[in-house]
Amino acid sequence: MNKYILSAFLAFATTFGAFAQANISPAKAQSKKIIIMGGILHVGNGQVYNNGYVVFEKGKITAAGDATTVKFSTADGEVINANGKHIYPGFIAPTNNLGLVEFESIKATIDFSEIGVMNPHIRSIVAYNTDSKVQATLRTNGVLMSQITPQGGTISGSSSVVQLDAWNWEDAVIKTDDAMHLSWPTMPRFRGFGGRGGFNAESFAERTQNAIAELKSFFAEAKAYNEGAKPAETNTRFAAMAGLFKGTQRLFINANTQKDIVAAVNFAKSFGITPVITGGSEAYLVTDFLKENNVGVVVDKPHSLPNNTDDDVNQPYKNVANLVNSGVLVAISIDGFWQQRNLPFMAGTASAWGLDKEKALQTITLNTAKILGMDKSIGSIESGKDATLFISAGDALDMKSNKVERAFIQGRDINLDNLHKQLDKKFSDKYGIK
């Protein structure tokens, strides 16, 4: 009983401490034309204008390019001088549980997984918490959009893509139920000495094959359900998979070893689906296969240990460059929710290990938008797209110089204050630190 009382007390104390900080209201809709002039414009598609400009109105970009070819005055709208600064498209964080968990030690605040193995009917968006203090810390580093993703089981459910400045999930959502998420059944990896609780390799292999067979059967039944005559009784799990077979929803499969990646892609192809591989720690070993099948890869956490004991110790840092330079469409992700603020620095690491700087930028902007099927509206600073972008005093992929000074989501000038800044000011004032 005492432990429950203690947990309740900690939950109250943590919640009180968090909400004691000033709340940050979402920005109002853009009311006037905004013109950013003179900055180093990183379009997001590989192009860079050393003296660039961007114009946006009513939440949409209307013009962008070389500032030496245009002239604007304050009569045309609000003019922002960005001389010597960098202009970037908003960064996109894929495959994470942002807004689905607030306190990892308190079960009642964890909404990213459900009981069961086959849960295609689960929709993460309805559990997304816009009142979390975490989103504001991401915006400070230029991460302005995220793919809110369920976890757990074999089929985890549907993700949705949101922008990170909203009153509620209905305001936040940019694309609802964009993808279904599946974890490919895989053999556990044993490290060190000794067995594991009486199980051997043969028993684990049998369990893995049984799980794959169950998955194939489930997909076959769901395909038949959705392509046949309207059934007398609704099966919510099968009905939730209709988008996969109609081509309106993407399939993200988490697989890491080269054997599992090939098996997962062939599985999806057998049902007429071109998947996206997430994780992909050994994807660099099957680049030709991935290109032949037009499969994109969301590489997980470049800052990690090698997958195998005899791998190059720096292999995780090189994965992104190896894939991109081989012609594979690649995005970068990172685990967790607090960690999403470090996403730009993962791309910075890729640029330090063999990848061109602008191509590294694409792995968290336009490439991610393409993998999500949203490149017509987000991912780069081009006419007709959402005005979701920011101005940084320095290189946004470098943690030393990343300093976001202004940020806009769908044209709205958002507040860049956050809990971390408030605490920094509070204790800097206390100890007289300038």
Side-chain angles (χ1 to χ4, degrees):
M1 179 60 73
N2 288 339
K3 70 177 181 180
Y4 295 114
I5 295 173
L6 178 60
S7 295
F9 173 77
L10 290 173
F12 172 78
T14 308
T15 304
F16 179 81
F19 285 94
Q21 304 300 320
N23 284 319
I24 302 168
S25 298
K28 294 182 179 179
Q30 183 181 2
S31 59
K32 58 184 176 181
K33 181 187 292 185
I34 296 177
I35 303 156
I36 304 175
M37 291 290 294
I40 302 169
L41 175 59
H42 303 264
V43 178
N45 61 4
Q47 287 182 296
V48 180
Y49 295 97
N50 290 322
N51 183 7
Y53 79 98
V54 185
V55 182
F56 50 97
E57 190 173 11
K58 296 180 180 179
K60 294 290 184 180
I61 298 169
T62 57
D66 185 354
T68 62
T69 63
V70 294
K71 289 185 178 180
F72 294 102
S73 69
T74 53
D76 298 311
E78 180 185 350
V79 178
I80 300 173
N81 184 348
N83 288 339
K85 299 174 183 178
H86 297 258
I87 309 168
Y88 293 96
F91 299 153
I92 310 166
T95 61
N96 62 79
N97 59 14
L98 177 69
L100 301 180
V101 56
E102 198 68 15
F103 311 118
E104 291 175 295
S105 61
I106 303 173
K107 188 175 182 180
T109 72
I110 299 175
D111 290 322
F112 57 76
S113 65
E114 293 291 339
I115 295 172
V117 178
M118 304 295 187
N119 291 317
H121 59 303
I122 297 301
R123 303 175 65 234
S124 63
I125 188 62
V126 296
Y128 177 63
N129 176 23
T130 54
D131 291 325
S132 169
K133 299 297 179 184
V134 181
Q135 284 89 325
T137 68
L138 274 60
R139 300 197 299 257
T140 301
N141 281 353
V143 180
L144 305 182
M145 293 163 284
S146 182
Q147 183 190 33
I148 308 306
T149 306
Q151 300 170 353
T154 301
I155 302 177
S156 304
S158 294
S159 60
S160 291
V161 181
V162 300
Q163 51 84 6
L164 303 184
D165 183 60
W167 288 104
N168 50 51
W169 71 260
E170 291 94 337
D171 292 339
V173 71
I174 304 174
K175 187 173 183 179
T176 306
D177 302 328
D178 69 293
M180 186 72 66
H181 293 262
L182 184 159
S183 294
W184 188 252
T186 186
M187 284 277 291
R189 288 180 171 238
F190 298 106
R191 299 181 185 275
F193 299 96
R196 182 178 291 186
F199 290 101
N200 53 39
E202 291 75 15
S203 64
F204 273 117
E206 183 179 355
R207 290 172 63 181
T208 301
Q209 290 306 312
N210 289 339
I212 293 172
E214 182 181 358
L215 185 63
K216 289 179 178 178
S217 175
F218 189 89
F219 262 71
E221 290 183 56
K223 184 177 176 67
Y225 175 92
N226 285 290
E227 293 182 350
K230 186 177 179 180
E233 295 185 9
T234 300
N235 184 311
T236 55
R237 284 177 166 79
F238 292 161
M241 297 176 69
L244 286 178
F245 305 114
K246 293 178 180 177
T248 58
Q249 189 180 44
R250 304 204 166 194
L251 178 63
F252 281 50
I253 306 179
N254 184 266
N256 283 289
T257 69
Q258 56 180 319
K259 179 181 177 181
D260 287 342
I261 291 169
V262 171
V265 171
N266 287 334
F267 163 79
K269 286 283 187 177
S270 71
F271 291 98
I273 301 169
T274 299
V276 173
I277 293 297
T278 66
S281 58
E282 291 186 4
Y284 69 97
L285 297 173
V286 288
T287 54
D288 290 341
F289 173 80
L290 294 170
K291 286 191 297 180
E292 288 169 7
N293 288 280
N294 195 31
V295 175
V297 179
V298 180
V299 176
D300 184 30
K301 54 185 177 186
H303 288 192
S304 60
L305 294 172
N307 202 44
N308 301 299
T309 54
D310 55 351
D311 282 347
D312 178 355
V313 69
N314 295 315
Q315 188 56 54
Y317 301 149
K318 301 175 182 178
N319 280 350
V320 177
N322 288 342
L323 289 165
V324 172
N325 294 335
S326 297
V328 177
L329 181 64
V330 178
I332 294 178
S333 72
I334 183 171
D335 284 346
F337 57 106
W338 276 110
Q339 285 294 325
Q340 299 308 311
R341 62 178 182 251
N342 291 320
L343 180 68
F345 313 135
M346 301 298 104
T349 296
S351 73
W353 288 87
L355 190 60
D356 173 79
K357 195 62 170 280
E358 294 306 311
K359 289 184 178 180
L361 174 64
Q362 287 179 256
T363 63
I364 55 174
T365 54
L366 189 57
N367 283 10
T368 308
K370 288 179 178 179
I371 284 175
L372 298 176
M374 301 178 66
D375 52 301
K376 290 184 178 179
S377 60
I378 62 174
S380 60
I381 301 176
E382 298 178 272
S383 182
K385 293 191 175 185
D386 289 353
T388 301
L389 50 94
F390 66 92
I391 302 170
S392 174
D395 181 354
L397 304 189
D398 178 7
M399 66 175 61
K400 287 185 176 181
S401 59
N402 178 314
K403 186 179 180 182
V404 178
E405 296 184 343
R406 296 282 292 273
F408 302 87
I409 293 179
Q410 296 171 336
R412 296 178 293 111
D413 191 356
I414 66 172
N415 190 331
L416 290 174
D417 194 14
N418 63 49
L419 180 61
H420 292 180
K421 287 183 177 180
Q422 293 165 12
L423 291 173
D424 178 69
K425 183 179 185 307
K426 175 180 178 179
F427 289 101
S428 292
D429 290 347
K430 178 179 180 179
Y431 295 107
I433 300 172
K434 295 183 180 180

